[in-house]
Amino acid sequence: MEWYLPVIWAALIGTAVALYVILDGFDLGIGILFPYAAKEHERDQMIASIAPFWDGNETWLVLGGGGLLVAFPQAYAVIMPALYLPVFVMLLALVFRGVAFEFRTVARTSKKYWTFAFSAGSTLAAFCQGLILAGLIQGIKVENGVFAGRAFDFATPFAIVCGLGVVTGYALLGACWLVMKTEGAIAARARGHAKYLLLGVLVFMAVVSLWTPLQFPRIAQRWFSLPNILFLWPIPVVTALTALLAWRWLEAGRDYGPFFAAITLFLLGYAGLAISVYPYLVPPSLTIWQTAAVPASQIFMLIGTLPLLPIILMYTGFVYYLFRGKVREGEGYH
């Protein structure tokens, strides 16, 4: 097997997951912040700010999941039974959220129920993604190449902390998005929420960063052994500096800076997690090479994926450019 093919596919899937977390993260964050809007017309403005983008953002989840199935079928066969429950609940939450998004726009007498469905679906989906993340970090029990654990192995205090951390992080992205895309009372309220959420994200990042090396020796070995620590110490330092910049930009009334600082925080956290588990796709036992499909399958899928990926990226960038600017009260795209 060509050693580089699994590396390419791991990079593609990792990129798709990162794009999903960032892009779908802020519109999930809008739903998480729904209960904190003062009035219904503010929720309408919040919905309008993500209307052109939200369904396209979920494209990256399809690429991540489909790529895992095609490029790493054994990893897919192990991860899915280990995490069936949070994956299934997440998908149901995304479905209800998507239905609520469309129905809420045209509803009159039932609008409050669709508002609840949109908010609950967004929050539940984010929480389940944190459970899935924690399940992978904790490790999956594998014997003879198959899942050998129990259905609720993922359900630990660490998983709950990760779930709440993802909810808080998505809410931060959503608040910073509203700062960037709206004006008036809703933007001012979002700016205040973003400050508290930034502090919350830092707390969760610190807790997870301390918990993982203390509970999992393999992660401690990766981060604190020589010469690794000499190359990895800038990551927490840059994270702290980015958080400081985000706070100062929020205090200074900047519109765009906080959102991009929040994205940078997510990317730094994502990089830290990738460093902790690489090259294991099913920690702590199965690597990307052990779980990879045959080279013919990987090459066949690359022939279709590599030309299409730049097209999707250019289209996504065009959509964000086309609908740039702030969304004012009463404006919308429906």
Side-chain angles (χ1 to χ4, degrees):
M1 177 185 295
E2 288 82 354
W3 67 270
Y4 57 86
L5 287 174
V7 175
I8 293 173
W9 269 108
L12 286 174
I13 294 172
T15 300
V17 171
L19 287 170
Y20 170 78
V21 166
I22 292 168
L23 298 180
D24 207 38
F26 73 75
D27 64 58
L28 286 170
I30 297 297
I32 295 168
L33 293 172
F34 246 38
Y36 303 99
K39 299 178 181 178
E40 199 65 31
H41 71 84
E42 288 191 359
R43 297 187 182 95
D44 294 338
Q45 192 176 352
M46 293 166 71
I47 284 282
S49 74
I50 60 172
F53 315 110
W54 74 274
D55 47 356
N57 292 341
E58 294 181 353
T59 302
W60 302 104
L61 181 63
V62 177
L63 177 58
L68 182 66
L69 172 62
V70 172
F72 303 100
Q74 187 179 357
Y76 187 91
V78 172
I79 292 171
M80 287 305 295
L83 301 172
Y84 260 140
L85 185 58
V87 169
F88 184 71
V89 173
M90 178 194 72
L91 293 177
L92 280 179
L94 291 174
V95 168
F96 275 100
R97 174 179 176 272
V99 172
F101 188 101
E102 298 296 340
F103 277 41
R104 185 187 175 279
T105 306
V106 298
R108 293 295 178 264
T109 59
S110 60
K111 192 169 188 175
K112 62 181 180 180
Y113 302 112
W114 293 118
T115 294
F116 174 78
F118 181 74
S119 180
S122 299
T123 305
L124 187 57
F127 184 74
C128 287
Q129 289 175 21
L131 296 181
I132 294 167
L133 173 64
L136 292 173
I137 295 173
Q138 293 171 152
I140 297 173
K141 185 177 180 181
V142 178
E143 292 180 4
N144 299 319
V146 298
F147 174 58
R150 296 172 295 179
F152 288 92
D153 281 354
F154 69 89
T156 64
F158 177 74
I160 294 173
V161 169
C162 287
L164 294 174
V166 170
V167 171
T168 305
Y170 283 176
L172 173 63
L173 283 174
C176 292
W177 173 263
L178 291 175
V179 168
M180 183 175 67
K181 292 290 290 184
T182 62
E183 57 184 20
I186 188 171
R189 187 176 296 107
R191 193 178 298 277
H193 289 157
K195 293 178 183 178
Y196 291 108
L197 291 166
L198 177 60
L199 295 176
V201 167
L202 291 176
V203 169
F204 280 113
M205 291 181 77
V207 169
V208 172
S209 297
L210 293 173
W211 196 328
T212 48
L214 290 175
Q215 183 169 348
F216 311 110
R218 55 187 166 84
I219 295 178
Q221 176 68 20
R222 178 64 56 86
W223 280 89
F224 299 111
S225 62
L226 289 173
N228 293 7
I229 193 172
L230 301 177
F231 298 100
L232 299 179
W233 68 265
I235 293 179
V237 173
V238 174
T239 300
L241 292 175
T242 302
L244 179 61
L245 276 177
W247 181 271
R248 288 188 173 179
W249 284 335
L250 287 168
E251 287 281 317
R254 301 283 184 89
D255 288 341
Y256 294 91
F259 182 66
F260 291 106
I263 290 176
T264 303
L265 284 177
F266 263 82
L267 291 176
L268 288 166
Y270 187 69
L273 293 172
I275 290 169
S276 297
V277 301
Y278 183 84
Y280 295 99
L281 199 54
V282 184
S285 54
L286 298 177
T287 67
I288 58 174
W289 295 281
Q290 291 172 307
T291 57
V294 296
S297 296
Q298 294 185 336
I299 292 172
F300 177 76
M301 289 302 298
L302 278 176
I303 292 173
T305 303
L306 290 180
L308 286 175
L309 193 58
I311 296 174
I312 297 172
L313 288 170
M314 287 189 292
Y315 173 77
T316 301
F318 174 73
V319 170
Y320 279 85
Y321 174 78
L322 186 65
F323 294 99
R324 66 193 183 277
K326 290 184 178 290
V327 177
R328 295 169 177 82
E329 185 177 344
E331 294 181 339
Y333 302 105
H334 282 82

